[in-house]
Structures are given as C-alpha cells and as structure tokens.
Amino acid sequence: MVNGLRIGIMAVVLGLFSAVLIPLQLLALRFDWRLRRRLPRTWHKVALYCLGIRVHTHGSLDPRRPLMIAANHASWKDILVLGSLADVVFIAKTEVASWPIFGTLARLQKTIFVVREEKRRTGDQVNEIAGRMADGEIVVLFPEGTTSDGNRVLSVKSSLFGAAAAALPKDQENAVVHVQPVAIAYTRIQGMPMGRYHRPIAGWPGDVGMVSHLMGVLRAGALDVDVTFGDTVDFRQGDNRKTLATHVESRLRDMLLAHLRGRHRR
C-alpha cells in the first residue's frame, strides 16, 4: 500500500515536471539554443530522485575537449545516471528511436542514432558524431555494443571507436580526441550491499520487458550506483583502435570489479 502510494506520487511529480520541461526543450531544439544541452541534465536528476537512485561519483570528468566517454552498459538507467552528471549526448542504435517513451526522450536529448548494418550510411553518421564533438559536446559511447547483466564488462568492440578517429581534424597537426573510461556499478539496494540475487534489478537483459523491469526498480525503493571516472586516453591520428579498445575494456573491468567486490573506498 505504502509502496504503491510512493510510486504514484513519484509518477505524478515526474509527469508534471516533464510537462514543463518538454515544451521548453522542444523550443531549444527548434532554435538550437545552448539550453537544449542543459535541460536534459535537470530532467535526469529529477527522474533519478523519483526512481530512488542515488549516484556516488569517484574522480571527475575531464574538462578537455573534444571528449568521448566510453562507459560499460547494464541498463537504460545508465542513461539517467550519466545524463545527470554532465551535459552529454548519447550514441544509440536506431531501434531506440522507436521505443515507447524512451525513444521520445532520446530524440529530445538529440541522441545520435546509428545504423550499424548499413555501411553506406556510416560516413554520414560518423560525420555527425565528429561535428557534435567539434562543437564541444560530450559524446557517450557504450563500446560493448549491448547491455550486460551488471556483473561484468563484455568485450569492447574496437570498430565503435571509429567515431573517435573520425573526430580528429584532418587539417591539424597533433590533433587529439580525449577518450575517458567511465565505470557504472550498481552496488547497494536499500542501503545493503547488492549481491547477485538482486543484480537483475541493476542490469536489463534484452529478454526482460521494459515495464516489468521498471516496476521492479520502483518497488526496490532505493538503489545506489557508483560512477568512476578513469584516466583519459589521448587518441591521435595513426593510433590503433584495437589498442584503445583493449585499454578501455581493461580499465572498465578493473573499476567495475573494484566496486562490486567492495574494494573501492567511498
């Protein structure tokens, strides 16, 4: 009864807040105001509060540009978490655009949708990513290419770092793109360490329905997530994407496991 009432109140709060922010965001997108980058961050913070998700950060976002964040990916909640910490833009597969609710939110944040199977469109997609980074936007890439169960980091696909290579200005010597590994670890539920039994609340495997997973998160009441900003890798012309991918995968795995095993100090 109490839990149901809390869920209802939070849904109303988020709905009213969205009703105010969405028209403003539509205007910002229509006229390309800088405000379009900041409003999603505010919305994400309110959404996390309504869902009962508390974010703890370790380290800091690299202030240099152009910057690409390479993060592990366990759930749609990762979008809210990273979106609450910085004015970022996400790279997502084109199918996300058609998802109920989440597709609309992604478009409102001006997400970059990519079609990985159509090579003839790769050039345009990479150019858009490069242009957004050159304009100072922070681009978030989930280099695993899919969601995990939250207990591990999957193999990182080096091909997805092609966007970082394309963002390097061809007419500038010593041009660099900064790639920062960021680990997202869901560590506690109701203040208690989250073991493998509760891990399905953190991760979102593809065979679980969105609505049922969302209700599970709401019923959980309180989740803690630790976000660790790792050391940035400077990527230059001629650098090897596979080397970059191997380094990012290693750092993400080390940072994630440090939190899941309780080895990282808060």
Side-chain angles (χ1 to χ4, degrees), residues 23-170:
L24 186 56
Q25 179 68 356
L26 288 171
L27 281 173
L29 288 170
R30 172 67 177 80
F31 296 104
D32 199 25
W33 296 337
R34 293 279 175 175
L35 185 65
R36 71 171 174 79
R37 301 182 186 179
R38 297 194 295 270
L39 286 178
R41 186 174 181 180
T42 302
W43 187 90
H44 286 138
K45 287 182 176 180
V46 174
L48 288 175
Y49 173 78
C50 291
L51 290 172
I53 299 175
R54 298 172 295 211
V55 180
H56 310 274
T57 59
H58 310 270
S60 59
L61 184 72
D62 196 310
R64 297 174 296 175
R65 303 292 182 271
L67 177 65
M68 172 179 282
I69 288 177
N72 63 300
H73 194 22
S75 167
W76 52 267
K77 298 185 293 298
D78 303 336
I79 306 291
L80 302 181
V81 169
L82 292 177
S84 73
L85 297 176
D87 301 334
V88 298
V89 59
F90 295 91
I91 300 174
K93 57 185 180 182
T94 190
E95 291 91 337
V96 174
S98 61
W99 288 0
I101 301 177
F102 288 93
T104 300
L105 293 174
R107 291 193 296 273
L108 285 170
Q109 195 164 351
K110 210 171 180 182
T111 293
I112 302 169
F113 297 108
V114 296
V115 186
R116 295 171 187 160
E117 295 78 13
E118 296 184 23
K119 292 186 177 180
R120 62 186 176 82
R121 294 183 56 184
T122 299
D124 292 338
Q125 294 168 169
V126 167
N127 288 338
E128 181 181 0
I129 295 169
R132 301 280 282 275
M133 292 179 69
D135 195 36
E137 294 193 60
I138 303 169
V139 173
V140 175
L141 172 70
F142 295 115
E144 295 163 289
T146 186
T147 54
S148 72
D149 58 6
N151 287 309
R152 56 185 173 145
V153 173
L154 303 177
S155 296
V156 165
K157 295 176 172 55
S158 61
S159 60
L160 297 181
F161 285 105
L168 291 166
K170 301 296 187 293

Side-chain angles (χ1 to χ4, degrees), residues 4 12 15 18 51 111 117 120 122 178-179 183 198 212 235 253 258 262:
V12 170
S18 300
L51 290 172
T111 293
E117 295 78 13
R120 62 186 176 82
T122 299
H178 309 290
V179 180
H198 291 105
S212 61
F235 188 76
R253 184 170 288 113

Side-chain angles (χ1 to χ4, degrees), residues 226-242:
D226 288 271
V227 180
T228 306
F229 293 91
D231 295 332
T232 302
V233 181
D234 291 342
F235 188 76
R236 295 181 170 84
Q237 289 286 0
D239 287 352
N240 190 293
R241 287 185 301 183
K242 289 186 177 180

